[in-house]
Amino acid sequence: MDNETINPVITSQQQFDTAAAYIEHLQKGLVDFLKKPKHTHIVHFPIEMDDGTVKTFEGYRVIHNRVFGPSKGGIRYHPDVSTDEVTSFAKLMTWKSALMHLPFGGAKGGLVCNTKELSQNELKRITRRFTTELFDVFGPDTDIPAPDMYTNAQTMAWIYDTYDVLNSGKNNRPVVTGKPLALGGSLGRPEATGKGCMFATQRFLSKALIPDLTEIAGARVAIQGFGNVGSVAANEFHRQGAKIVAVSDSSGGIYTENGLDPDDISAFKQEHGTVVGMPNTLTLSNAELLECECDILIPAASVYQITADNAANIKAKLIVEGANDPTTPAADAILNQHGIYLIPDILANAGGVTVSYFEWVQNHANEQWELDHVNEKLQKKMVKAIDAVFKRWQDYRVGECQCPEAVEGVPPDFRTVALIVAIERVAEATLVRGLWP
Ligand code: NAD
């Protein structure tokens, strides 16, 4: 990537600065506060491995903001995880929660490890010790983790159990979300992010901004990543009448003009460990998938997939960011020039944290809601958030909202508008609370 420096801190700063330039009267001191994490916790601890050796692990929990309530965000286990990456994701969580009107701030956690090289018992010991190290940080009303890459419902069960053992006699279920159903997990949580992507797209398309693409039915959809988010999105879009023309996983992608049945893809992947090689499909590289002929492209794998190098080759009319941070700022500018719309991560994939919030509410009330109730509430939240961002985006175009001189009268794109709305809400709440002392 010759044209741009890709670094999570720089990227999230650029996105923030672009949005902040549209918010007049945002005091510099407040900008500094909103840019920086509230707390960064770095922990090290030794673990006895199955073979009797001892290994030291490094983990992070970054709390970006707590203006609206307890901080909320996933924990990822990955060899490349860093404080920079975790900090930028913690910020995304603040904006995402604000955009969805959830009473949460933003946080993120990470542990440097390769889960593929660890046994279940080692993972359990690591998770329990990591939880112990962060015992004073986590709490049902202070900081609430959730699963992220290479962590899952089982990891959350271990965190809950450890926390509850150390702090017994209370209802500690709301200390984590994304738990197994048996421990108070919510119906609909595993599907929430992919389903939320579908609800967001449905609402966005209904605004009739893209000629010949006003509904999901009939749209050709390409999805990068066939994990939790990608596979559920494939099912949801297929159920709405879309043609799933391409999907991929870390081994590569497949394409067919005629469309694929997501159940067949799942069955094939279950048997062969990858989607590649499915009968009657063309094999694509992951780079080719992003540039294939389609109407809607859903990056649902990892960061920085759409960059200055490939943005100009994208043929989709709409990009729906299932993954966090899949598009770089330079790519955003190119997509804009090419008239390609994009529903940004903090809006498109906010279904996950939204149903996590529902889980937290159910846990506090010791209730279990029906699946239909969860999905109806999710749809309402997604529709409301899309409408708020869309209205503001339109206001900039019809002159209801003035673009400050600092941005030379250029109206902001959807990512920027979503960020403007979120930042304004957090800034307003900060000032209304009053700066203490
Ligand atoms: P996952 O681990 O279940 O799935 C990831 C998928 O991406 C796998 O199929 C993997 O093979 C594939 N993949 C990895 N690298 C790839 C590459 N370079 N090209 C193509 N495919 C690749 O993870 P997930 O939970 O589905 O999360 C995916 C993304 O969505 C992440 O960015 C995550 O932060 C974001 N996200 C997830 C949730 C959630 O609720 N799960 C919520 C919000 C955002």
Side-chain angles (χ1 to χ4, degrees):
M1 252 145 276
D2 327 320
N3 305 345
E4 53 184 332
T5 310
I6 299 181
N7 168 297
V9 169
I10 295 173
T11 304
S12 69
Q13 213 123 296
Q14 279 175 345
Q15 290 169 345
F16 179 93
D17 289 342
T18 305
Y22 285 88
I23 310 173
E24 283 181 300
H25 317 302
L26 191 60
Q27 291 174 37
K28 181 170 177 319
L30 198 53
V31 169
D32 293 342
F33 168 68
L34 295 175
K35 266 184 174 175
K36 289 189 175 25
K38 185 173 174 62
H39 299 293
T40 301
H41 303 271
I42 302 179
V43 299
H44 295 95
F45 53 86
I47 289 291
E48 188 176 343
M49 309 305 281
D50 288 350
D51 63 4
T53 58
V54 174
K55 227 175 142 177
T56 293
F57 289 85
E58 179 167 305
Y60 321 107
R61 184 71 178 167
V62 175
I63 315 288
H64 172 241
N65 190 285
R66 276 197 184 136
V67 166
F68 279 121
S71 44
K72 180 94 192 81
I75 293 181
R76 60 176 52 189
Y77 287 0
H78 198 276
D80 300 332
V81 79
S82 64
T83 40
D84 279 359
E85 183 184 86
V86 171
T87 304
S88 75
F89 285 139
K91 291 180 195 175
L92 274 189
M93 287 305 297
T94 300
W95 313 135
K96 212 179 279 190
S97 291
L99 206 51
M100 299 308 289
H101 273 312
L102 305 178
F104 291 142
K108 202 79 179 183
L111 187 83
V112 185
C113 70
N114 186 346
T115 55
K116 291 175 186 166
E117 293 169 0
L118 295 165
S119 72
Q120 277 296 97
N121 266 327
E122 286 168 338
L123 275 172
K124 182 163 67 178
R125 287 199 292 278
I126 291 165
T127 303
R128 286 195 185 286
R129 182 62 191 259
F130 189 34
T131 308
T132 311
E133 296 290 334
L134 290 169
F135 177 70
D136 291 335
V137 178
F138 296 160
D141 297 304
T142 48
D143 182 44
I144 306 149
D148 197 77
M149 278 169 84
Y150 299 105
T151 54
N152 53 29
Q154 179 60 69
T155 325
M156 298 305 111
W158 292 328
I159 295 178
Y160 162 73
D161 184 66
T162 309
Y163 187 87
D164 192 60
V165 167
L166 296 175
N167 188 27
S168 60
K170 294 194 175 98
N171 171 17
N172 287 314
R173 286 188 169 194
V175 74
V176 277
T177 61
K179 295 181 291 295
L181 273 183
L183 279 180
S186 177
L187 290 167
R189 176 61 186 90
E191 301 83 25
T193 307
K195 208 182 227 329
C197 283
M198 184 277 288
F199 286 141
T201 308
Q202 204 171 41
R203 188 66 176 180
F204 183 90
L205 294 181
S206 75
K207 310 285 181 191
L209 209 58
I210 309 174
D212 306 325
L213 190 64
T214 53
E215 55 178 14
I216 292 177
R220 296 167 304 160
V221 177
I223 303 176
Q224 188 199 41
F226 202 70
N228 172 291
V229 179
S231 65
V232 173
N235 262 307
E236 295 292 332
F237 278 76
H238 180 71
R239 230 184 277 167
Q240 296 299 320
K243 225 191 236 188
I244 310 301
V245 292
V247 300
S248 68
D249 57 31
S250 51
S251 306
I254 52 174
Y255 177 89
T256 169
E257 239 178 58
N258 300 328
L260 296 149
D261 183 330
D263 286 341
D264 294 344
I265 312 171
S266 295
F268 186 89
K269 186 167 165 77
Q270 180 85 15
E271 196 182 335
H272 301 271
T274 172
V275 298
V276 178
M278 221 179 129
N280 305 319
T281 61
L282 290 173
T283 300
L284 295 178
S285 67
N286 263 303
E288 287 168 334
L289 177 131
L290 296 170
E291 299 173 14
C292 77
E293 285 292 343
C294 64
D295 300 306
I296 300 172
L297 173 65
I298 307 179
S302 59
V303 290
Y304 312 137
Q305 297 299 305
I306 304 174
T307 66
D309 287 349
N310 61 5
N313 302 330
I314 286 179
K315 310 208 178 41
K317 299 166 186 156
L318 174 67
I319 296 173
V320 181
E321 292 188 328
N324 285 317
D325 244 352
T327 313
T328 63
D332 266 337
I334 297 168
L335 296 172
N336 251 325
Q337 280 163 14
H338 287 237
I340 298 172
Y341 291 104
L342 182 147
I343 309 181
D345 46 11
I346 57 171
L347 194 48
N349 72 34
V353 68
T354 302
V355 177
S356 272
Y357 163 63
F358 297 160
E359 180 176 331
W360 184 76
V361 173
Q362 290 170 73
N363 291 161
H364 271 297
N366 279 312
E367 280 182 11
Q368 173 115 78
W369 298 349
E370 300 289 333
L371 180 60
D372 283 352
H373 183 63
V374 171
N375 288 338
E376 270 168 38
K377 283 178 81 78
L378 171 63
Q379 183 169 17
K380 272 191 191 154
K381 281 268 189 203
M382 296 306 299
V383 164
K384 220 171 159 182
I386 286 278
D387 284 357
V389 174
F390 190 87
K391 176 163 187 327
R392 194 63 180 278
W393 178 87
Q394 238 174 0
D395 286 349
Y396 276 111
R397 272 148 189 86
V398 298
E400 289 275 322
C401 252
Q402 295 302 322
C403 295
E405 263 175 43
V407 288
E408 294 166 354
V410 178
D413 62 13
F414 267 94
R415 183 189 312 285
T416 307
V417 176
L419 271 171
I420 293 169
V421 172
I423 293 168
E424 279 180 352
R425 285 180 188 169
V426 179
E428 185 192 350
T430 308
L431 293 177
V432 169
R433 282 177 66 141
L435 304 182
W436 194 87

